[in-house]
Amino acid sequence: MSDNIRATRGEPRVALITCAEMPGLDPDDRLLLPPLAQRGIRAEAAIWDDPDVDWAGYALAVLRSPWDYPTRRAEFVAWTRTVPRLANPADLVRWNTDKRYLRELASAGVPTVPTTWLGPDDDWTLPAEPGEYVVKPVVGAGSLDAGRYDLADAAQRELAGTHVKRLRAAGRWVMVQPYLSAVDTAGETGLLFFAGPDGLRFSHAVRKGPMLVGPDYGVDGLFRPEQITPRTPAAAELAVAERVLAALPSGPDRPLYARVDLIPGPDGAPVLVEVELTEPSLFLGHAPDAADRLADAIAARLD
């Protein structure tokens, strides 16, 4: 290991990658700093698009909160290819930052939320069936540019059509999904996995409450602050998550971390909402020793 990769006293340097709006890291990610220090690893926050950062000087660069990438995805993906030792790797970032990966997972037999995929030039009309639907772009994070619509309401039906047209006019792919009512009752289950000696291992899980409460009006989507509580996943949820990880294009051995978000479908069986391999919140503060388990995974990756 070269001298510039090691800090003083022989400590390896690890970059925790963030964005300019969060230069000091997300509070949850800061929980990782003490256990890394205890393992002799010097962790530093680094902004992904800062031209002065020497990425070659880090023994490992870990994507954590570069949450401004959705409006600059091409630039972000190109940047990942320049970082010598990036977790998760650049090819996974490219695959995972466009939600059309869900089509591949569905084709591989993973149960997913039924989705209509719309390119900028595709013909499409609103579903005739009443019910609630979610409209969102295939490249996005959180509730950015996402909306929830009751198509039985004439005003919301018109807003849903306008939302789709606005995204497509900007050259963006769009996904339209039925809103699963279990979001409001059971909530989503986010299952967190960190790398171990034999691939990704389950660490902990959380319940994620509903966020979207109404239409997107073209400025900011209407959503609630995310409500997070610890959760013990059911055996069926763990089984689906393992199927998701096994179907990743790289297999389950290369990622340093993964978050699999599931929700009960109409029949109560878990279906995949998304698998987060790029910059997911890992909710380290919601499970004992979660930060230590991730610190162990990083230390092993350095070895």
Side-chain angles (χ1 to χ4, degrees), residues 19-270:
C19 58
E21 290 76 12
M22 198 168 288
L25 299 174
D26 178 73
D28 194 67
D29 289 329
R30 289 200 289 271
L31 298 175
L32 187 56
L33 299 177
L36 286 176
Q38 291 166 8
R39 289 157 178 77
I41 300 167
R42 175 176 164 180
E44 302 171 354
I47 297 170
W48 74 270
D49 57 352
D50 182 347
D52 295 328
V53 175
D54 176 19
W55 298 106
Y58 289 104
L60 187 67
V62 182
L63 287 161
R64 287 309 322 123
S65 50
W67 291 334
D68 58 354
Y69 85 83
T71 58
R72 305 162 60 192
R73 176 178 176 265
E75 178 186 354
F76 179 70
V77 170
W79 164 80
T80 63
R81 293 195 291 265
T82 71
V83 182
R85 292 166 288 276
L86 183 67
N88 284 333
D91 60 315
L92 279 182
V93 171
R94 180 193 57 77
W95 181 82
N96 187 234
T97 50
D98 184 321
K99 290 185 176 62
R100 283 177 286 180
Y101 70 78
L102 290 167
R103 294 194 298 189
E104 297 180 30
L105 295 179
S107 296
V110 173
T112 61
V113 179
T115 304
T116 298
W117 306 93
L118 302 171
D121 300 319
D122 290 339
D123 293 328
W124 182 73
T125 56
L126 284 164
E129 302 83 3
E132 289 191 287
Y133 287 80
V134 172
V135 173
K136 56 186 176 182
V138 300
V139 176
S143 295
L144 183 66
D145 294 324
R148 171 181 169 184
Y149 302 92
D150 183 352
L151 298 191
D153 180 285
Q156 290 204 22
R157 189 176 184 86
E158 182 177 356
L159 284 170
T162 300
H163 186 178
V164 172
K165 290 177 182 176
R166 183 173 65 250
L167 292 174
R168 297 171 77 193
R172 303 174 74 180
W173 274 74
V174 181
M175 50 197 299
V176 181
Q177 299 175 318
Y179 185 80
L180 299 182
S181 60
V183 173
D184 298 318
T185 53
E188 291 184 25
T189 299
L191 297 97
L192 286 304
F193 295 81
F194 301 147
D198 52 356
L200 288 166
R201 288 183 172 182
F202 174 71
S203 169
H204 60 288
V206 296
R207 177 191 185 275
K208 302 167 64 185
M211 294 181 65
L212 283 175
V213 296
D216 177 83
Y217 292 98
V219 182
D220 291 307
L222 183 60
F223 59 93
R224 302 183 181 99
E226 199 167 31
Q227 300 296 315
I228 305 296
T229 52
R231 166 169 278 178
T232 300
E237 292 174 320
L238 283 166
V240 170
E242 294 289 352
R243 287 174 64 186
V244 171
L245 299 177
L248 295 180
S250 65
D253 296 332
R254 290 178 66 217
L256 176 67
Y257 53 79
R259 194 184 82 206
V260 180
D261 292 341
L262 306 174
I263 189 170
D267 62 355

